[in-house]
């Protein structure tokens, strides 16, 4: 649907913008040569912003119902739910922290290529392990994304090889 397309594009745009901002915060230098923010500081501030945005989104979409549900849980439900939430939160936090290093070391564009490729591999896992059905249109879309990923890697390697071949220090005697 058009709504799904617009929301997907908005989601990808906002993820890309966040990656670029993270890279800018971690690579911009002050006068003394010191980085503007280290990884831990960038991780803290970005996740604080994400938390506020997610809280606002939850209040807008679901209202207070999720909070009422949590307050209404009895002890046995909490004992069942809490370990799962702790695992989910720790995996999410470690993923977000690792992403900070990827953005710093590889750049925002490469980070987005990896994120999009990971989505395709998630779909492949769903097909293999859960028998998910993929339509021809979805298959063509995944093929286009993988083709773009391969093209990006090819162009990046070509540019890297050209910059090594044209190194002005190599040609001077």
């Amino acid at each position: 649907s058009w709504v799904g397309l617009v929301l997907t594009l908005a989601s990808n745009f906002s993820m890309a913008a966040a990656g670029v901002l993270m890279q800018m915060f971690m690579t911009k230098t002050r006068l003394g040569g010191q980085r503007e923010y280290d990884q831990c500081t960038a991780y803290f501030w970005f996740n604080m912003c994400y938390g506020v945005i997610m809280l606002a989104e939850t209040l807008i979409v679901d209202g207070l119902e999720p909070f009422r549900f949590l307050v209404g849980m009895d002890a046995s439900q909490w004992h069942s739910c809490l370990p799962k939430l702790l695992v989910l939160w720790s995996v999410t936090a470690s993923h977000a922290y690792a992403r900070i290093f990827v953005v710093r070391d590889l750049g925002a564009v490469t980070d987005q290529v990896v994120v999009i490729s990971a989505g395709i591999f998630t779909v492949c896992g769903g097909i293999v392990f859960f028998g998910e059905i993929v339509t021809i249109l979805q298959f063509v879309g995944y093929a286009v994304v993988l083709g773009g990923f391969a093209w990006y890697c090819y162009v990046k390697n070509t540019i890297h090889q050209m910059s090594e071949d044209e190194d002005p220090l190599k040609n001077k005697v």
Side-chain angles (χ1 to χ4, degrees):
S1 74
W2 285 104
V3 172
L5 175 64
V6 169
L7 291 175
T8 300
L9 290 174
S11 171
N12 286 334
F13 177 77
S14 64
M15 279 181 30
V20 169
L21 287 172
M22 278 192 282
Q23 184 177 7
M24 286 173 51
F25 286 145
M26 290 186 291
T27 58
K28 183 179 177 185
T29 56
R30 295 180 184 169
L31 290 176
Q34 180 182 5
R35 284 191 176 152
E36 192 73 32
Y37 295 102
D38 62 2
Q39 294 82 5
C40 290
T41 306
Y43 175 76
F44 173 79
W45 284 112
F46 273 94
N47 283 302
M48 288 295 289
C49 293
Y50 290 148
V52 169
I53 290 169
M54 291 304 297
L55 179 62
E57 186 267 338
T58 299
L59 290 172
I60 290 168
V61 173
D62 298 325
L64 295 175
E65 189 59 33
F67 303 104
R68 288 186 191 118
F69 176 78
L70 290 174
V71 170
M73 288 174 51
D74 63 13
S76 65
Q77 290 173 317
W78 274 107
H79 289 295
S80 172
C81 183
L82 193 59
K84 295 171 190 169
L85 285 175
L86 291 175
V87 168
L88 176 66
W89 291 334
S90 63
V91 169
T92 303
S94 62
H95 174 266
Y97 192 64
R99 186 170 178 227
I100 296 284
F101 287 97
V102 170
V103 169
R104 184 199 68 186
D105 294 337
L106 301 177
V109 174
T110 304
D111 174 63
Q112 286 305 303
V113 170
V114 170
V115 167
I116 291 169
S117 300
I120 291 175
F121 295 125
T122 301
V123 170
C124 291
I127 293 168
V128 171
F129 295 111
F130 301 114
E132 293 286 331
I133 305 298
V134 177
T135 66
I136 298 295
L137 182 61
Q138 289 171 321
F139 182 79
V140 169
Y142 298 139
V144 168
V145 170
L146 284 176
F149 177 67
W151 177 75
Y152 171 78
C153 291
Y154 172 76
V155 169
K156 187 171 181 176
N157 287 335
T158 303
I159 291 171
H160 181 68
Q161 287 175 351
M162 287 173 41
S163 66
E164 284 182 353
D165 293 341
E166 297 175 4
D167 187 3
L169 296 177
K170 285 184 177 180
N171 296 332
K172 290 188 176 184
V173 176

